[in-house]
Amino acid sequence: PRPASLRGLRLGIRRDRTWRSFEVFTDEFARIGRERLGLADVVLFDPGTRIGTPEAESARVVDFARAVEVAIVGLGTWGSCTSWSVHDSVTTEFAGTPAVVVVTEAFANLARASATGRGCSALPMVVLPHPMEGRPHAEIRRIAAERFDEIVAALVAPRSA
């Protein structure tokens, strides 16, 4: 079940160091969330280099999912990072923690196909402009503020399948 509100919850953010823009984006999202929603905590998760077995990689994501109450996962802005973002979002959802995957518009179709292939066709997704990298930090923070309500709605909206 998805929460009715994010107020007072522990938010998890899965990101890696590849996409600086997503670090700026999620830092701004967390700032707004603390200010407007009184988030209890923000837990950052960096999966690091994906060289383990699929089971070990999934186990690390499940541990992350169990440590938070809702999660934002991204950034899908290239082929492999989109696939891993969807993988981690679906793993988080299947672990019982509501998640939203964040991708750029150039990779939204790949993300939808990947989610469907993993048995989660209704995976909540927020699509950002492409490319995000190279944008000034002020513009990235503005995009985060503009998409804040959309991401919150994706985390609290009931999901059908």
Side-chain angles (χ1 to χ4, degrees):
R2 298 179 102 63
S5 165
L6 299 187
R7 182 161 302 285
L9 296 186
R10 182 178 303 116
L11 169 69
I13 299 175
R14 186 289 225 168
R15 62 187 189 186
D16 58 49
R17 299 194 184 273
T18 304
W19 306 115
R20 178 69 181 133
S21 62
F22 198 57
E23 290 184 25
V24 174
F25 183 93
T26 55
D27 285 348
E28 182 66 6
F29 184 93
R31 184 194 68 74
I32 295 168
R34 286 183 182 108
E35 181 181 290
R36 288 179 45 190
L37 300 178
L39 290 171
D41 194 12
V42 177
V43 176
L44 301 178
F45 171 63
D46 180 348
T49 305
R50 303 317 265 277
I51 58 172
T53 65
E55 296 79 14
E57 295 296 334
S58 293
R60 292 176 58 229
V61 176
V62 168
D63 289 344
F64 161 70
R66 290 182 177 153
V68 299
E69 295 166 287
V70 293
I72 298 170
V73 179
L75 176 67
T77 189
W78 203 249
S80 62
C81 60
T82 300
S83 297
W84 276 114
S85 293
V86 169
H87 172 276
D88 292 353
S89 296
V90 171
T91 300
T92 300
E93 283 273 338
F94 288 172
T97 300
V100 60
V101 64
V102 180
V103 302
T104 62
E105 59 197 2
F107 293 92
N109 287 338
L110 173 60
R112 285 187 189 94
S114 296
T116 298
R118 291 191 48 80
C120 196
S121 61
L123 179 68
M125 181 184 316
V126 171
V127 180
L128 302 180
H130 183 86
M132 287 295 288
E133 290 305 301
R135 292 177 188 261
H137 287 190
E139 182 180 357
I140 295 169
R141 286 190 290 275
R142 179 186 53 77
I143 293 168
E146 290 171 352
R147 296 301 177 83
F148 182 84
D149 290 335
E150 182 181 358
I151 291 172
V152 170
L155 288 168
V156 300
R159 192 169 70 77
S160 58

